[in-house]
């Protein structure tokens, strides 16, 4: 070591030593950075970058040596052979390239140590070849021990430099490896220089072909800087390209991650990359997918073969998730170029939502969306199956048709949400009464049907009773009105042998149940068919009666009992059918109320009566009967207001007659409607008093202006003490409440005399005038007979 130190201190020019050290440091740093770049480069680009690194490292080592040699001043003439000098450069580049290739291609620290050792020996080979090219006027002698030390230093430090570079990223982490490589080059050079002893010999001369030291210094410096600058520029360009490629890769990765579908890039069966959607679908971290196999997610050869044979076409398969679950997916595979090599891009679409939607569509195709019951189409198929099963088992099949009573009123009064809640409650309650052999379906609206294999009508009757009882005790979830229904029952094969006929007969029995009081059930009987068909024909004709001009009004006078003067008229509806002639109101009014045609007919009656009354010079009252359906309609008050405005009839001349039964189903709604009518200025009369329920409480609760005694109490009032007592009680009640009383159905002078004696206010009946066209009462409406106000007091 003292020899080395002595060599460095006594025989070298420190200015050139500093230059050599600078070039060596630049070369070492450039080489280490290039090696790091080579490790991250694509496979096809690594060979080129290894060549650049070998040229930069080899030329830097070569330049360091020769500049340091120029700093060596033994005090005798010297020069350099051109051939050996060039060979030393080639040796440096070749061995540096070999060492770097071994370290990069095989990877790992062992390969780095081996490659670094080759690089160190390359430093030695270049040095001693360069020393062979050194011509001096003297003799060169070598110390074997120092030579061996120089070889060991170069190999160990070179291996340590490349080992320290493994995994290092960034300039700050490259500095230790560059420093070790600098030590490897410098320590070897100066140790090797300490191993040589030059003995001057005047008899020896330097060849004229040898390159002088000054020229060599300039050439070596310029060449070295040029090579290092080119290597640095190339590396800067490569870094820029890599950053650009990384930005592009990040952009493409961002676009891939933005995709809803899962995307995978594969080479063979190996996954190269995958987007976030696929990682989320699988249930794995995105960075853990690279390097896994595609077959781990698409198990089974069938799926992979289908994909391979149907490129760019969707294939349905099962995707295996991280937890082992299998989900249905649609897979599309197509070839792409990725990182300069052919790959496959696989798009994976989750089909669970689609399958669920298809299942929902399939369910809705056979079931009712609101109640979840079988729909009409599904019910028809089941009915066919049950009919065949009944034939095979020699059993009977009962078909029960259910229809909710006054369901439209529930919708009108409480809204469609309450109606839907009632339908859902009906489905739930009735289904709870059925066993596995029975089936319930919703045919439409509030119509339901139940199929029941049975041994006879008694079993069907018991089921109908259970259903009715369950519905009576159940209420809609909204807390609305109590559920009520009617049921019609038809039996197969007793009543019909065909599906359509069986449904029709069960529906016929249902109509009978409704007409006989509702809230009950009836079995089909042959005679029902004719009655129901007749009723349906009448209902159909009734819907078109107003449009055909078959409806007209007649008027019956209402007179003051004391004076006999006409104080008003009641408008009564008549229907003259084109073929049937006159149809009794007792026949068509109930049909109109049950089918809701009463709303259309009632509106026509109101408009026609008000229009007629508005033309009378005398301000007589006009009384119009209003059904329960109209009272409970949410649009009735608005209709009355609109009719009064259009016709110009004074509100106090219109008297609305309401029966007690119209108040029972929904008293609160009826009270609201009557109060709104009173606010318009109308008069309200209780019609048919005494024939309904809770008469006294109704008189106290509702804003009535008049009481009308039903004709059944007035008839024979002069000869029947019980009837007379009832009429006296009503008249006394009217006086006590301050309400005028009108007696209907007065047909004899004796009945009128009784009413006069008991101080009844007004009367109406055949005795005063039969219902007739208004033209027959012109003398009253136009003032030929003096008009007497209806609120005239009796003596």
């Amino acid at each position: 070591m003292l020899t080395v130190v002595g060599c460095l201190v006594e025989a070298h020019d420190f200015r050139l030593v500093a230059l050599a050290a600078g070039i060596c440091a630049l070369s070492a740093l450039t080489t280490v950075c290039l090696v790091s770049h080579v490790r991250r480069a694509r496979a096809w680009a690594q060979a080129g970058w290894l060549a650049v690194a070998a040229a930069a490292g080899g030329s830097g080592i070569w330049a360091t040596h020769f500049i340091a040699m120029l700093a060596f001043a033994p005090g005798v003439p010297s020069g350099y052979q051109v051939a050996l000098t060039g060979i030393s450069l080639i040796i440096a580049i070749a061995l540096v390239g070999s060492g770097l290739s071994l370290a990069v291609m095989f990877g790992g620290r062992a390969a780095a140590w081996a490659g670094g050792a080759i690089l160190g020996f390359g430093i030695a080979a270049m040095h001693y070849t360069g020393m062979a090219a050194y011509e001096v006027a003297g003799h060169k002698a070598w110390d074997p021990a120092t030579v061996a030390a120089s070889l060991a230093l170069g190999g160990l430090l070179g291996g340590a430099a490349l080992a320290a570079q493994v995994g290092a990223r960034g300039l700050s982490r490259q500095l230790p490896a560059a420093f070790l490589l600098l030590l490897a080059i410098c320590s070897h050079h100066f140790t090797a220089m300490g191993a040589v002893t030059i003995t001057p010999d005047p008899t020896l001369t330097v060849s004229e072909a040898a390159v002088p030291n000054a020229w060599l210094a300039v050439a070596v410096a310029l060449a070295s800087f040029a090579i290092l600058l080119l290597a640095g520029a190339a590396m800067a360009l490569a870094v820029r390209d890599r950053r650009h490629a990384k930005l592009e890769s990040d952009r493409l990765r961002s676009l891939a991650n933005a995709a809803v579908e899962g995307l995978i890039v594969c080479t063979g069966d190996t996954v190269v990359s995958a987007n976030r959607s696929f990682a989320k679908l699988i249930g794995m971290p995105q960075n853990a997918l690279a390097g896994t196999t595609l077959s781990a997610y698409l198990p089974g050869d069938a799926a992979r073969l289908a994909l391979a044979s149907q490129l760019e076409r969707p294939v349905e398969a099962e995707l295996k998730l991280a937890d082992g679950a299998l989900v249905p997916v649609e897979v599309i595979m197509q070839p792409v170029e990725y990182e300069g090599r052919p790959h496959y891009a696989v798009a994976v679409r989750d089909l669970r939502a689609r399958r669920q939607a298809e299942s929902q569509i399939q369910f809705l195709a056979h079931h009712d969306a609101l109640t979840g019951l079988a729909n009409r189409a599904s019910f028809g198929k089941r009915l066919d199956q049950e009919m065949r099963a009944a034939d095979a088992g020699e059993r009977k099949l009962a078909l029960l048709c259910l229809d909710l009573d006054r369901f439209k009123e529930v919708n009108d009064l409480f809204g469609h949400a309450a109606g839907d809640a009632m339908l859902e409650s009906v489905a739930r309650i009735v289904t709870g009464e059925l066993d596995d052999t029975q089936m319930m379906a919703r045919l439409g609206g509030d119509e339901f049907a139940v199929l029941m294999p049975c041994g006879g009508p008694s079993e069907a009757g018991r089921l109908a009773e259970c259903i009715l009882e369950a519905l009576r005790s159940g209420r809609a979830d909204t807390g609305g009105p109590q559920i009520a229904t009617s049921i019609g029952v038809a039996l197969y094969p007793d009543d019909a042998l065909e599906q359509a006929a069986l449904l029709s007969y069960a529906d016929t029995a249902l109509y009978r149940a409704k007409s006989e009081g509702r809230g009950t059930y009836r079995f089909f009987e042959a005679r029902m068919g004719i009655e129901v068909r007749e009723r349906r024909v009448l209902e159909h004709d009734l819907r078109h009666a107003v449009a055909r001009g078959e409806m007209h009004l007649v008027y019956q006078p209402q007179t003051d009992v004391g004076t006999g003067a006409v104080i008003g008229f009641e408008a009564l509806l008549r229907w003259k059918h084109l073929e049937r002639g006159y149809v009794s109101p007792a026949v068509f009014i109930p049909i109109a109320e049950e089918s809701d045609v009463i709303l259309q007919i009632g509106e026509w009656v109101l408009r026609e009566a008000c229009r007629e009354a508005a033309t009378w010079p005398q301000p007589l009252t006009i009384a119009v009967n209003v059904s329960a359906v109209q009272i409970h309609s949410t649009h009735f008050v608005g209709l009355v207001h609109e009719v009064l405005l259009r016709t110009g009839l004074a509100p106090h001349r219109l008297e609305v007659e309401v029966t007690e039964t119209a108040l029972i189903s929904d008293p609160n709604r009826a009270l609201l409607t009557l109060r709104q009518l009173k606010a318009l200025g109308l008069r309200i009369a209780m019609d048919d008093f005494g024939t309904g329920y809770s008469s006294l409480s109704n008189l106290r609760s509702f804003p009535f202006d008049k009481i009308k005694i039903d004709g059944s109490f007035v008839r024979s009032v002069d000869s029947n003490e019980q009837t007379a007592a009832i009429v006296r009680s009503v008249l006394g009640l009217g006086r006590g409440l301050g309400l005028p009383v009108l007696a209907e159905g007065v047909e004899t002078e004796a009945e009128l005399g009784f009413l006069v004696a008991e101080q009844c206010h007004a009367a109406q009946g055949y005795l005063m005038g039969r219902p007739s066209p208004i033209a027959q009462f012109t003398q009253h409406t136009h003032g030929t007979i003096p008009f007497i106000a209806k609120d005239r007091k009796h003596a």
Side-chain angles (χ1 to χ4, degrees):
M1 182 60 69
L2 290 177
T3 303
V4 174
V5 173
C7 171
L8 177 62
V9 173
E10 298 173 2
H12 283 78
D13 183 347
F14 277 101
R15 291 171 298 177
L16 291 176
V17 169
L19 176 62
I23 290 177
C24 183
L26 181 60
S27 172
L29 182 60
T30 301
T31 302
V32 169
C33 290
L34 284 171
V35 171
S36 177
H37 178 71
V38 170
R39 292 184 187 275
R40 298 193 303 271
R42 298 174 183 176
W44 58 269
Q46 284 184 338
W49 283 110
L50 279 172
V52 174
S59 62
I61 294 170
W62 181 79
T64 300
H65 169 78
F66 279 99
I67 292 175
M69 284 296 297
L70 292 173
F72 181 60
V76 293
S78 62
Y80 295 91
Q81 295 181 17
V82 175
L84 285 177
T85 301
I87 291 173
S88 67
L89 175 61
I90 295 172
I91 290 174
I93 293 173
L95 290 178
V96 168
S98 299
L100 295 180
S101 299
L102 176 62
V104 171
M105 296 301 182
F106 288 92
R109 294 195 177 275
W113 277 100
I118 294 175
L119 186 148
F121 294 144
I123 296 172
M126 184 282 307
H127 177 85
Y128 290 112
T129 303
M131 289 300 293
Y134 181 61
E135 293 185 4
V136 65
H139 299 282
K140 294 179 285 186
W142 298 91
D143 178 16
T146 308
V147 169
S150 69
L151 292 175
L153 282 173
L156 288 173
L157 291 175
L162 291 190
Q165 194 275 334
V166 175
R169 296 288 181 89
L171 182 61
S172 60
R173 296 186 179 183
Q174 305 284 355
L175 291 177
F179 180 73
L180 288 172
L181 184 57
L182 172 66
L183 285 180
I185 297 171
C186 293
S187 63
H188 171 81
H189 174 81
F190 291 107
T191 302
M193 290 300 294
V196 63
T197 302
I198 298 176
T199 304
D201 186 351
T203 62
L204 298 177
T205 60
V206 178
S207 171
E208 294 181 358
V211 178
N213 289 350
W215 288 103
L216 180 63
V218 174
V220 167
L222 291 177
S224 298
F225 274 111
I227 292 173
L228 292 175
L229 287 175
L230 287 174
M235 188 174 68
L237 290 174
V239 170
R240 188 197 69 175
D241 291 343
R242 176 177 293 169
R243 288 179 178 175
H244 179 71
K246 186 176 185 302
L247 289 175
E248 284 295 312
S249 177
D250 291 342
R251 186 176 69 85
L252 292 175
R253 187 176 294 106
S254 297
L255 291 175
N257 286 333
V260 177
E261 297 177 343
L263 294 175
I264 319 170
V265 177
C266 301
T267 173
D269 192 41
T270 304
V271 175
V272 176
S273 67
N275 70 345
R276 189 181 297 118
S277 296
F278 183 79
K280 183 178 180 181
L281 178 60
I282 290 294
M284 291 177 60
Q286 185 177 0
N287 55 8
L289 293 172
T292 59
T293 59
L294 180 62
S295 57
Y297 311 117
L298 294 174
D301 295 332
R304 292 194 298 277
L305 289 175
L307 289 171
S309 62
Q310 301 187 46
L311 291 177
E312 302 183 8
R313 293 183 60 186
V315 175
E316 291 192 3
E318 286 190 324
L319 184 70
K320 187 175 183 180
L321 305 185
D323 59 3
L326 296 175
V327 299
V329 293
E330 183 179 72
V331 184
I332 303 177
M333 180 183 289
Q334 59 181 358
V336 295
E337 185 174 327
Y338 182 77
E339 295 184 345
R341 291 185 298 173
H343 287 71
Y344 286 99
V346 183
V348 181
R349 179 179 299 162
D350 190 351
L351 293 183
R352 283 178 290 185
R354 182 195 295 180
R355 294 283 174 84
Q356 185 177 3
E358 290 173 351
S359 177
Q360 182 69 10
I361 292 171
Q362 182 71 10
F363 178 83
L364 293 177
H366 297 89
H367 295 80
D368 172 58
L370 176 64
T371 62
L373 298 174
N375 59 14
R376 183 179 288 273
S378 181
F379 176 76
K381 294 179 181 178
R382 177 68 178 270
L383 180 54
D384 282 337
Q385 295 173 1
E386 293 294 345
M387 289 169 69
R388 289 194 296 269
D391 292 336
E394 296 182 355
R395 289 178 57 84
K396 299 184 186 300
L397 177 66
L399 171 60
L400 288 71
C401 282
L402 290 73
D403 188 287
L404 300 188
D405 296 337
R406 304 192 185 281
F407 178 69
K408 188 176 186 305
E409 295 178 17
V410 175
N411 275 332
D412 292 341
L413 296 176
F414 301 100
H416 290 285
D420 290 346
M422 177 176 281
L423 293 174
E424 292 175 339
S425 296
V426 169
R428 185 184 65 254
I429 293 170
V430 176
T431 303
E433 300 297 319
L434 306 181
D435 59 32
D436 295 338
T437 65
Q438 298 160 355
M439 172 194 185
M440 184 180 187
R442 184 186 178 197
L443 304 183
D446 61 330
E447 301 176 20
F448 298 88
V450 174
L451 283 179
M452 175 192 182
C454 61
S458 60
E459 295 181 25
R462 283 194 294 272
L463 178 61
E465 290 174 356
C466 290
I467 292 174
L468 290 173
E469 182 59 31
L471 291 175
R472 288 190 192 101
S473 59
R475 296 180 68 85
D477 296 338
T478 57
Q482 188 163 344
I483 303 170
T485 187
S486 301
I487 302 177
V489 185
L491 295 176
Y492 173 86
D494 295 356
D495 297 327
L497 298 176
E498 296 180 356
Q499 181 182 127
L502 191 66
L503 282 166
S504 177
Y505 290 163
D507 199 38
T508 298
L510 172 62
Y511 270 93
R512 172 55 62 88
K514 282 184 171 293
S515 65
E516 294 185 359
R518 303 175 184 268
T520 185
Y521 71 95
R522 291 290 182 267
F523 283 92
F524 172 76
E525 298 174 8
R527 61 183 177 83
M528 290 182 183
I530 299 174
E531 295 176 1
V532 170
R533 281 193 296 273
E534 181 70 16
R535 184 183 182 89
R536 288 179 176 173
V537 170
L538 273 178
E539 180 183 332
H540 175 270
D541 293 343
L542 191 58
R543 292 183 183 276
H544 304 282
V546 173
R548 292 172 179 171
E550 298 176 357
M551 292 291 184
H552 66 275
L553 295 181
V554 294
Y555 299 83
Q556 188 172 30
Q558 298 174 340
T559 63
D560 186 286
V561 170
T563 65
V566 174
I567 58 175
F569 291 89
E570 180 180 3
L572 300 172
L573 181 64
R574 296 294 182 262
W575 179 21
K576 187 177 182 181
H577 194 278
L578 293 177
E579 297 176 357
R580 302 171 184 267
Y582 281 103
V583 181
S584 171
V587 174
F588 72 80
I589 292 297
I591 297 176
E593 289 182 338
E594 290 178 8
S595 60
D596 294 333
V597 183
I598 193 66
L599 292 175
Q600 171 195 350
I601 296 175
E603 179 179 347
W604 180 85
V605 170
L606 181 65
R607 291 184 184 276
E608 184 66 16
C610 291
R611 182 198 61 78
E612 175 61 39
T615 65
W616 302 340
Q618 294 295 336
L620 305 176
T621 60
I622 182 70
V624 178
N625 288 283
V626 176
S627 72
V629 178
Q630 291 174 279
I631 286 294
H632 295 146
S633 172
T634 56
H635 308 292
F636 182 65
V637 175
L639 172 65
V640 172
H641 190 204
E642 185 258 333
V643 169
L644 291 175
L645 291 175
R646 281 185 175 274
T647 60
L649 181 69
H652 70 271
R653 293 180 58 196
L654 177 60
E655 187 173 274
V656 172
E657 296 186 358
V658 183
T659 62
E660 289 180 284
T661 54
L663 313 176
I664 296 173
S665 60
D666 189 1
N668 293 330
R669 179 66 192 178
L671 178 60
L672 175 62
T673 301
L674 295 182
R675 284 178 175 174
Q676 291 174 331
L677 292 175
K678 286 282 290 183
L680 293 178
L682 275 66
R683 297 175 63 83
I684 302 172
M686 176 180 281
D687 196 13
D688 299 336
F689 182 79
T691 60
Y693 306 95
S694 305
S695 300
L696 297 180
S697 63
N698 287 337
L699 287 175
R700 182 173 56 86
S701 302
F702 293 91
F704 291 111
D705 299 296
K706 180 188 288 187
I707 300 173
K708 295 186 71 176
I709 304 176
D710 187 69
S712 61
F713 296 107
V714 176
R715 195 171 297 113
S716 303
V717 72
D718 57 321
S719 59
N720 189 313
E721 286 299 325
Q722 290 181 343
T723 302
I726 293 174
V727 173
R728 288 192 188 96
S729 299
V730 174
L731 291 172
L733 181 63
R735 284 191 294 271
L737 296 174
L739 297 176
V741 178
L742 184 147
E744 295 183 293
V746 179
E747 298 182 356
T748 67
E749 289 290 347
E751 292 171 354
L752 180 61
F754 175 85
L755 296 175
V756 171
E758 295 297 332
Q759 298 182 355
C760 181
H761 296 80
Q764 176 182 341
Y766 285 176
L767 181 64
M768 280 67 71
R770 291 177 175 272
S772 304
I774 195 63
Q776 296 188 16
F777 303 104
T778 306
Q779 69 273 24
H780 300 290
T781 58
H782 287 69
T784 305
I785 297 177
F787 167 74
I788 300 175
K790 67 176 181 177
D791 58 349
R792 169 180 174 176
K793 300 296 182 180
H794 293 274

